[in-house]
Amino acid sequence: MKGIQKFFDFACLLFFCAFFAISCASSAVQENRPAWAQESWREAFPDSVYLAERGTADNAALSKTEALAALSRYISTSVNANLTTSIRSMDSNGVMDETISIQNDVSVSSQVNLFGVEFTEPYFSRKEKKWYCVAYIDRERAWEQYVPQIEVAKKIFDGFYREAENGEEPLFICSFYKKAWEKGKDFLTKLEYGRLINPAREKSYSADRMRLALIPSQIEAEMKNISVSIHIEGDYGGIVETAIANAFKKAGFTVSRRGNYTADVSVLPNAMGNDPIAVFPSVDVKLVGRTGRAVYSYKDRISERTTAFSLENALKKSYPKLSEKIEREMSSDLSEITEAN
């Protein structure tokens, strides 16, 4: 009996020792839980210094993936939200009017690696049976890594902008401003990333944002220096001339009998056969600038056969078809030069 009692006492001692050891270990785990794995985890990654998101999962690898995914979603949402209402123009008082929508496809998954994303060592909470991990970006270090991309986009934008500033032919100036505007969209996207990463450092590009904002009004100002007079040969009843005038007007040009630009237009019926006669009318437009240099050209034709027993009747039927095509396609073509959208 004494042997059994001793064995029982010894077993109890072992049990209590084991229980005490486990309790101590559990307490130690809780005491050593990193700050970023606690409820107030963002205090460990202050927003002024870091971009950070936390992920939780059933295993360590997945918690890391979840953290990166959360960070990517935050970046994508923030950048696109800024781009949907971005700078376009200024009013007469110099106040920014944020009315344009510039929608760019932002590939966060490819961009995010350039920011220098870092991760905490995944932590396992025994109490919650969850793994925690934080994906974070040091704003200052990320800016130094990312700013070369901003500079490349700025250089391309600057090139077209300088060409516009140094131009002498109004239509060419408009064309270069339009190209600067298009390249400026990419530049603006880079700046929005930069502003998200490090707002204080991105402020140094405010003058560039202002230049981009003014482009639509600069194009509008140059267009006021252009008026077009139309000289046409081969028309029938003014049908084609009316279409060409409408195409210019839709694109923002002023049409005048004494314009400083001349649109030389040739219309040909391209007649074939007799009794009936078939026509395939075509048009050739050359816009000559103030310096006597051709600054724009447009050619088109109707490939569909139009037949009649007289040339006049064939023209009556075919020229409206040509005119409709001119007004639609030429105005769209000219707008590519003159509109910042």
Tab-separated table of all heavy atoms in Angstrom, residues 101-145:
chain	number	residue	atom	x	y	z
A	101	SER	N	-12.582	62.996	-65.476
A	101	SER	CA	-12.412	61.614	-65.048
A	101	SER	C	-11.297	61.005	-65.890
A	101	SER	O	-11.424	60.907	-67.096
A	101	SER	CB	-13.698	60.833	-65.290
A	101	SER	OG	-14.186	60.283	-64.107
A	102	ILE	N	-10.208	60.628	-65.272
A	102	ILE	CA	-9.124	59.943	-65.980
A	102	ILE	C	-9.068	58.532	-65.439
A	102	ILE	O	-8.562	58.299	-64.346
A	102	ILE	CB	-7.769	60.658	-65.782
A	102	ILE	CG1	-7.846	62.091	-66.318
A	102	ILE	CG2	-6.660	59.913	-66.479
A	102	ILE	CD1	-6.576	62.873	-66.156
A	103	GLN	N	-9.590	57.591	-66.187
A	103	GLN	CA	-9.621	56.202	-65.745
A	103	GLN	C	-8.457	55.460	-66.390
A	103	GLN	O	-8.423	55.277	-67.597
A	103	GLN	CB	-10.949	55.542	-66.149
A	103	GLN	CG	-12.165	56.124	-65.452
A	103	GLN	CD	-12.269	55.676	-64.003
A	103	GLN	OE1	-11.453	54.892	-63.545
A	103	GLN	NE2	-13.253	56.175	-63.299
A	104	ASN	N	-7.523	55.058	-65.608
A	104	ASN	CA	-6.404	54.249	-66.082
A	104	ASN	C	-6.455	52.894	-65.410
A	104	ASN	O	-6.800	52.787	-64.244
A	104	ASN	CB	-5.056	54.914	-65.749
A	104	ASN	CG	-4.735	56.049	-66.697
A	104	ASN	OD1	-5.593	56.545	-67.400
A	104	ASN	ND2	-3.498	56.456	-66.710
A	105	ASP	N	-6.112	51.866	-66.170
A	105	ASP	CA	-6.024	50.543	-65.565
A	105	ASP	C	-4.754	50.481	-64.738
A	105	ASP	O	-3.653	50.638	-65.251
A	105	ASP	CB	-5.989	49.458	-66.649
A	105	ASP	CG	-7.309	49.367	-67.385
A	105	ASP	OD1	-8.335	49.633	-66.738
A	105	ASP	OD2	-7.313	49.034	-68.574
A	106	VAL	N	-4.908	50.272	-63.452
A	106	VAL	CA	-3.775	50.260	-62.532
A	106	VAL	C	-3.477	48.834	-62.119
A	106	VAL	O	-4.299	48.191	-61.487
A	106	VAL	CB	-4.068	51.115	-61.287
A	106	VAL	CG1	-2.890	51.093	-60.338
A	106	VAL	CG2	-4.396	52.540	-61.698
A	107	SER	N	-2.325	48.335	-62.516
A	107	SER	CA	-1.945	46.975	-62.172
A	107	SER	C	-1.185	46.983	-60.860
A	107	SER	O	0.030	47.109	-60.816
A	107	SER	CB	-1.075	46.366	-63.283
A	107	SER	OG	-0.665	45.071	-62.933
A	108	VAL	N	-1.927	46.874	-59.777
A	108	VAL	CA	-1.315	46.963	-58.457
A	108	VAL	C	-0.397	45.786	-58.204
A	108	VAL	O	0.663	45.913	-57.606
A	108	VAL	CB	-2.405	47.037	-57.367
A	108	VAL	CG1	-1.779	46.999	-55.982
A	108	VAL	CG2	-3.202	48.315	-57.529
A	109	SER	N	-0.784	44.613	-58.688
A	109	SER	CA	0.014	43.423	-58.406
A	109	SER	C	1.433	43.556	-58.941
A	109	SER	O	2.383	43.068	-58.352
A	109	SER	CB	-0.648	42.187	-59.017
A	109	SER	OG	-0.782	42.329	-60.423
A	110	SER	N	1.587	44.250	-60.078
A	110	SER	CA	2.933	44.428	-60.624
A	110	SER	C	3.618	45.651	-60.034
A	110	SER	O	4.834	45.703	-59.937
A	110	SER	CB	2.861	44.555	-62.153
A	110	SER	OG	2.112	45.694	-62.510
A	111	GLN	N	2.836	46.647	-59.651
A	111	GLN	CA	3.408	47.876	-59.127
A	111	GLN	C	3.893	47.730	-57.690
A	111	GLN	O	4.883	48.306	-57.303
A	111	GLN	CB	2.364	48.997	-59.170
A	111	GLN	CG	1.962	49.426	-60.569
A	111	GLN	CD	2.934	50.429	-61.162
A	111	GLN	OE1	3.878	50.839	-60.499
A	111	GLN	NE2	2.720	50.797	-62.401
A	112	VAL	N	3.148	46.937	-56.907
A	112	VAL	CA	3.383	46.939	-55.473
A	112	VAL	C	4.787	46.480	-55.099
A	112	VAL	O	5.365	46.944	-54.142
A	112	VAL	CB	2.320	46.081	-54.751
A	112	VAL	CG1	2.561	44.612	-54.967
A	112	VAL	CG2	2.265	46.418	-53.267
A	113	ASN	N	5.370	45.584	-55.878
A	113	ASN	CA	6.715	45.103	-55.569
A	113	ASN	C	7.752	46.216	-55.666
A	113	ASN	O	8.797	46.147	-55.037
A	113	ASN	CB	7.092	43.960	-56.520
A	113	ASN	CG	6.281	42.708	-56.244
A	113	ASN	OD1	5.916	42.455	-55.111
A	113	ASN	ND2	5.998	41.948	-57.277
A	114	LEU	N	7.453	47.210	-56.463
A	114	LEU	CA	8.394	48.309	-56.637
A	114	LEU	C	8.444	49.211	-55.404
A	114	LEU	O	9.349	50.004	-55.257
A	114	LEU	CB	7.999	49.134	-57.868
A	114	LEU	CG	7.975	48.347	-59.182
A	114	LEU	CD1	7.402	49.206	-60.294
A	114	LEU	CD2	9.376	47.881	-59.565
A	115	PHE	N	7.453	49.108	-54.556
A	115	PHE	CA	7.421	49.954	-53.383
A	115	PHE	C	8.339	49.453	-52.279
A	115	PHE	O	8.555	50.134	-51.306
A	115	PHE	CB	6.002	50.023	-52.809
A	115	PHE	CG	4.993	50.640	-53.724
A	115	PHE	CD1	3.648	50.427	-53.525
A	115	PHE	CD2	5.369	51.435	-54.784
A	115	PHE	CE1	2.701	50.998	-54.351
A	115	PHE	CE2	4.429	52.006	-55.621
A	115	PHE	CZ	3.106	51.787	-55.398
A	116	GLY	N	8.819	48.230	-52.377
A	116	GLY	CA	9.646	47.684	-51.309
A	116	GLY	C	8.811	47.165	-50.158
A	116	GLY	O	9.006	47.567	-49.007
A	117	VAL	N	7.871	46.268	-50.450
A	117	VAL	CA	7.024	45.701	-49.404
A	117	VAL	C	7.841	44.798	-48.492
A	117	VAL	O	8.641	43.986	-48.941
A	117	VAL	CB	5.864	44.891	-50.020
A	117	VAL	CG1	4.995	44.287	-48.925
A	117	VAL	CG2	5.029	45.782	-50.917
A	118	GLU	N	7.620	44.933	-47.193
A	118	GLU	CA	8.267	44.083	-46.199
A	118	GLU	C	7.192	43.393	-45.362
A	118	GLU	O	6.029	43.798	-45.359
A	118	GLU	CB	9.188	44.915	-45.304
A	118	GLU	CG	10.316	45.610	-46.066
A	118	GLU	CD	11.177	46.466	-45.170
A	118	GLU	OE1	11.945	45.890	-44.363
A	118	GLU	OE2	11.071	47.712	-45.256
A	119	PHE	N	7.595	42.341	-44.657
A	119	PHE	CA	6.646	41.564	-43.857
A	119	PHE	C	7.208	41.316	-42.457
A	119	PHE	O	8.417	41.166	-42.279
A	119	PHE	CB	6.368	40.200	-44.501
A	119	PHE	CG	5.761	40.284	-45.874
A	119	PHE	CD1	6.565	40.350	-47.005
A	119	PHE	CD2	4.388	40.291	-46.030
A	119	PHE	CE1	6.017	40.422	-48.262
A	119	PHE	CE2	3.815	40.355	-47.292
A	119	PHE	CZ	4.634	40.422	-48.415
A	120	THR	N	6.302	41.262	-41.509
A	120	THR	CA	6.694	40.807	-40.177
A	120	THR	C	6.805	39.281	-40.214
A	120	THR	O	6.262	38.627	-41.114
A	120	THR	CB	5.637	41.198	-39.132
A	120	THR	OG1	4.378	40.617	-39.501
A	120	THR	CG2	5.508	42.699	-39.027
A	121	GLU	N	7.500	38.734	-39.266
A	121	GLU	CA	7.540	37.279	-39.137
A	121	GLU	C	6.160	36.819	-38.657
A	121	GLU	O	5.651	37.317	-37.660
A	121	GLU	CB	8.607	36.866	-38.113
A	121	GLU	CG	8.848	35.374	-38.049
A	121	GLU	CD	9.508	34.832	-39.292
A	121	GLU	OE1	10.246	35.585	-39.962
A	121	GLU	OE2	9.283	33.641	-39.592
A	122	PRO	N	5.495	35.905	-39.389
A	122	PRO	CA	4.159	35.474	-38.971
A	122	PRO	C	4.132	35.003	-37.516
A	122	PRO	O	5.051	34.331	-37.045
A	122	PRO	CB	3.845	34.325	-39.934
A	122	PRO	CG	4.628	34.654	-41.166
A	122	PRO	CD	5.912	35.260	-40.652
A	123	TYR	N	3.069	35.373	-36.814
A	123	TYR	CA	2.919	35.032	-35.397
A	123	TYR	C	1.666	34.187	-35.207
A	123	TYR	O	0.596	34.492	-35.747
A	123	TYR	CB	2.813	36.310	-34.561
A	123	TYR	CG	2.395	36.064	-33.136
A	123	TYR	CD1	3.324	35.627	-32.191
A	123	TYR	CD2	1.067	36.243	-32.742
A	123	TYR	CE1	2.930	35.391	-30.882
A	123	TYR	CE2	0.674	36.006	-31.436
A	123	TYR	CZ	1.615	35.572	-30.507
A	123	TYR	OH	1.218	35.319	-29.222
A	124	PHE	N	1.776	33.124	-34.410
A	124	PHE	CA	0.653	32.245	-34.141
A	124	PHE	C	0.089	32.500	-32.752
A	124	PHE	O	0.812	32.461	-31.753
A	124	PHE	CB	1.075	30.781	-34.246
A	124	PHE	CG	-0.056	29.817	-33.986
A	124	PHE	CD1	-1.134	29.738	-34.867
A	124	PHE	CD2	-0.054	29.007	-32.865
A	124	PHE	CE1	-2.188	28.865	-34.632
A	124	PHE	CE2	-1.103	28.123	-32.626
A	124	PHE	CZ	-2.178	28.051	-33.512
A	125	SER	N	-1.198	32.799	-32.708
A	125	SER	CA	-1.895	32.978	-31.432
A	125	SER	C	-2.538	31.653	-31.039
A	125	SER	O	-3.466	31.185	-31.697
A	125	SER	CB	-2.969	34.064	-31.562
A	125	SER	OG	-3.793	34.075	-30.414
A	126	ARG	N	-2.032	31.042	-29.958
A	126	ARG	CA	-2.589	29.771	-29.517
A	126	ARG	C	-4.017	29.935	-29.014
A	126	ARG	O	-4.862	29.058	-29.217
A	126	ARG	CB	-1.712	29.175	-28.417
A	126	ARG	CG	-0.342	28.752	-28.924
A	126	ARG	CD	0.457	28.079	-27.837
A	126	ARG	NE	1.763	27.671	-28.312
A	126	ARG	CZ	2.661	27.034	-27.573
A	126	ARG	NH1	2.379	26.753	-26.309
A	126	ARG	NH2	3.816	26.695	-28.078
A	127	LYS	N	-4.261	31.066	-28.376
A	127	LYS	CA	-5.594	31.297	-27.840
A	127	LYS	C	-6.625	31.399	-28.970
A	127	LYS	O	-7.714	30.834	-28.892
A	127	LYS	CB	-5.583	32.575	-27.003
A	127	LYS	CG	-6.929	32.900	-26.374
A	127	LYS	CD	-6.833	34.182	-25.547
A	127	LYS	CE	-8.183	34.523	-24.927
A	127	LYS	NZ	-8.120	35.770	-24.126
A	128	GLU	N	-6.283	32.136	-30.018
A	128	GLU	CA	-7.208	32.348	-31.130
A	128	GLU	C	-7.049	31.298	-32.233
A	128	GLU	O	-7.889	31.200	-33.116
A	128	GLU	CB	-6.999	33.743	-31.722
A	128	GLU	CG	-7.239	34.863	-30.731
A	128	GLU	CD	-6.854	36.218	-31.319
A	128	GLU	OE1	-7.166	36.465	-32.494
A	128	GLU	OE2	-6.234	37.017	-30.595
A	129	LYS	N	-5.942	30.559	-32.169
A	129	LYS	CA	-5.627	29.566	-33.193
A	129	LYS	C	-5.593	30.215	-34.581
A	129	LYS	O	-6.148	29.710	-35.544
A	129	LYS	CB	-6.642	28.418	-33.161
A	129	LYS	CG	-6.609	27.623	-31.860
A	129	LYS	CD	-7.588	26.474	-31.882
A	129	LYS	CE	-7.533	25.698	-30.563
A	129	LYS	NZ	-8.511	24.574	-30.527
A	130	LYS	N	-4.907	31.363	-34.632
A	130	LYS	CA	-4.767	32.106	-35.884
A	130	LYS	C	-3.326	32.564	-36.062
A	130	LYS	O	-2.621	32.800	-35.085
A	130	LYS	CB	-5.662	33.358	-35.886
A	130	LYS	CG	-7.131	33.087	-36.069
A	130	LYS	CD	-7.867	34.422	-36.110
A	130	LYS	CE	-9.355	34.224	-36.277
A	130	LYS	NZ	-10.074	35.529	-36.295
A	131	TRP	N	-2.955	32.695	-37.321
A	131	TRP	CA	-1.662	33.266	-37.656
A	131	TRP	C	-1.871	34.723	-38.060
A	131	TRP	O	-2.835	35.058	-38.739
A	131	TRP	CB	-1.012	32.514	-38.811
A	131	TRP	CG	-0.438	31.181	-38.424
A	131	TRP	CD1	-1.073	29.987	-38.427
A	131	TRP	CD2	0.900	30.928	-37.978
A	131	TRP	NE1	-0.231	28.989	-38.002
A	131	TRP	CE2	0.992	29.543	-37.721
A	131	TRP	CE3	2.022	31.734	-37.761
A	131	TRP	CZ2	2.167	28.947	-37.269
A	131	TRP	CZ3	3.192	31.142	-37.321
A	131	TRP	CH2	3.256	29.763	-37.069
A	132	TYR	N	-0.950	35.575	-37.649
A	132	TYR	CA	-0.989	36.995	-37.991
A	132	TYR	C	0.277	37.377	-38.763
A	132	TYR	O	1.360	36.862	-38.492
A	132	TYR	CB	-1.058	37.869	-36.733
A	132	TYR	CG	-2.379	37.825	-36.012
A	132	TYR	CD1	-2.627	36.864	-35.031
A	132	TYR	CD2	-3.365	38.759	-36.298
A	132	TYR	CE1	-3.847	36.840	-34.357
A	132	TYR	CE2	-4.585	38.742	-35.631
A	132	TYR	CZ	-4.814	37.772	-34.659
A	132	TYR	OH	-6.010	37.753	-34.020
A	133	CYS	N	0.093	38.317	-39.709
A	133	CYS	CA	1.255	38.866	-40.414
A	133	CYS	C	0.897	40.262	-40.916
A	133	CYS	O	-0.257	40.524	-41.277
A	133	CYS	CB	1.638	37.975	-41.603
A	133	CYS	SG	3.131	38.540	-42.466
A	134	VAL	N	1.868	41.160	-40.925
A	134	VAL	CA	1.660	42.517	-41.426
A	134	VAL	C	2.554	42.749	-42.642
A	134	VAL	O	3.758	42.472	-42.594
A	134	VAL	CB	1.974	43.577	-40.347
A	134	VAL	CG1	1.897	44.997	-40.939
A	134	VAL	CG2	1.006	43.441	-39.182
A	135	ALA	N	1.945	43.224	-43.734
A	135	ALA	CA	2.699	43.675	-44.913
A	135	ALA	C	2.794	45.193	-44.807
A	135	ALA	O	1.778	45.868	-44.621
A	135	ALA	CB	1.983	43.269	-46.187
A	136	TYR	N	3.995	45.721	-44.912
A	136	TYR	CA	4.155	47.156	-44.699
A	136	TYR	C	5.168	47.762	-45.660
A	136	TYR	O	6.032	47.071	-46.212
A	136	TYR	CB	4.554	47.454	-43.255
A	136	TYR	CG	5.890	46.884	-42.827
A	136	TYR	CD1	7.054	47.656	-42.889
A	136	TYR	CD2	6.001	45.581	-42.360
A	136	TYR	CE1	8.279	47.147	-42.499
A	136	TYR	CE2	7.211	45.052	-41.967
A	136	TYR	CZ	8.356	45.836	-42.039
A	136	TYR	OH	9.575	45.325	-41.648
A	137	ILE	N	5.018	49.048	-45.862
A	137	ILE	CA	5.891	49.813	-46.747
A	137	ILE	C	6.414	51.013	-45.973
A	137	ILE	O	5.624	51.807	-45.437
A	137	ILE	CB	5.134	50.309	-47.990
A	137	ILE	CG1	4.688	49.132	-48.864
A	137	ILE	CG2	5.975	51.279	-48.809
A	137	ILE	CD1	3.691	49.524	-49.941
A	138	ASP	N	7.710	51.138	-45.897
A	138	ASP	CA	8.309	52.323	-45.291
A	138	ASP	C	8.199	53.466	-46.309
A	138	ASP	O	8.761	53.400	-47.405
A	138	ASP	CB	9.780	52.056	-44.957
A	138	ASP	CG	10.441	53.234	-44.274
A	138	ASP	OD1	10.637	54.268	-44.950
A	138	ASP	OD2	10.779	53.118	-43.082
A	139	ARG	N	7.453	54.493	-45.990
A	139	ARG	CA	7.144	55.555	-46.950
A	139	ARG	C	8.395	56.218	-47.530
A	139	ARG	O	8.484	56.458	-48.738
A	139	ARG	CB	6.262	56.615	-46.291
A	139	ARG	CG	4.854	56.137	-45.959
A	139	ARG	CD	4.035	57.271	-45.356
A	139	ARG	NE	2.705	56.852	-44.958
A	139	ARG	CZ	1.638	56.810	-45.760
A	139	ARG	NH1	1.777	57.149	-47.023
A	139	ARG	NH2	0.455	56.442	-45.305
A	140	GLU	N	9.360	56.498	-46.704
A	140	GLU	CA	10.552	57.207	-47.170
A	140	GLU	C	11.386	56.334	-48.101
A	140	GLU	O	11.828	56.764	-49.161
A	140	GLU	CB	11.383	57.671	-45.972
A	140	GLU	CG	12.432	58.714	-46.315
A	140	GLU	CD	11.832	60.025	-46.823
A	140	GLU	OE1	10.697	60.367	-46.427
A	140	GLU	OE2	12.510	60.694	-47.628
A	141	ARG	N	11.599	55.079	-47.695
A	141	ARG	CA	12.382	54.171	-48.539
A	141	ARG	C	11.654	53.874	-49.848
A	141	ARG	O	12.272	53.804	-50.917
A	141	ARG	CB	12.666	52.860	-47.789
A	141	ARG	CG	13.731	52.975	-46.722
A	141	ARG	CD	14.398	51.638	-46.463
A	141	ARG	NE	13.435	50.627	-46.031
A	141	ARG	CZ	13.154	50.360	-44.764
A	141	ARG	NH1	13.747	51.048	-43.803
A	141	ARG	NH2	12.290	49.421	-44.445
A	142	ALA	N	10.333	53.698	-49.761
A	142	ALA	CA	9.551	53.412	-50.962
A	142	ALA	C	9.609	54.574	-51.944
A	142	ALA	O	9.680	54.369	-53.158
A	142	ALA	CB	8.105	53.116	-50.582
A	143	TRP	N	9.577	55.806	-51.428
A	143	TRP	CA	9.658	56.970	-52.308
A	143	TRP	C	10.962	56.974	-53.090
A	143	TRP	O	10.973	57.244	-54.299
A	143	TRP	CB	9.518	58.252	-51.496
A	143	TRP	CG	9.708	59.485	-52.337
A	143	TRP	CD1	10.839	60.216	-52.501
A	143	TRP	CD2	8.720	60.099	-53.172
A	143	TRP	NE1	10.627	61.245	-53.369
A	143	TRP	CE2	9.341	61.201	-53.801
A	143	TRP	CE3	7.384	59.822	-53.440
A	143	TRP	CZ2	8.649	62.023	-54.692
A	143	TRP	CZ3	6.700	60.646	-54.320
A	143	TRP	CH2	7.335	61.732	-54.933
A	144	GLU	N	12.052	56.700	-52.419
A	144	GLU	CA	13.352	56.691	-53.094
A	144	GLU	C	13.396	55.623	-54.187
A	144	GLU	O	14.027	55.816	-55.229
A	144	GLU	CB	14.474	56.455	-52.075
A	144	GLU	CG	14.642	57.568	-51.057
A	144	GLU	CD	14.914	58.920	-51.705
A	144	GLU	OE1	15.566	58.953	-52.772
A	144	GLU	OE2	14.471	59.948	-51.145
A	145	GLN	N	12.710	54.513	-53.964
A	145	GLN	CA	12.676	53.459	-54.969
A	145	GLN	C	11.755	53.824	-56.129
A	145	GLN	O	12.029	53.486	-57.281
A	145	GLN	CB	12.195	52.146	-54.347
A	145	GLN	CG	13.153	51.533	-53.341
A	145	GLN	CD	12.599	50.251	-52.749
A	145	GLN	OE1	11.881	49.503	-53.409
A	145	GLN	NE2	12.911	50.002	-51.498
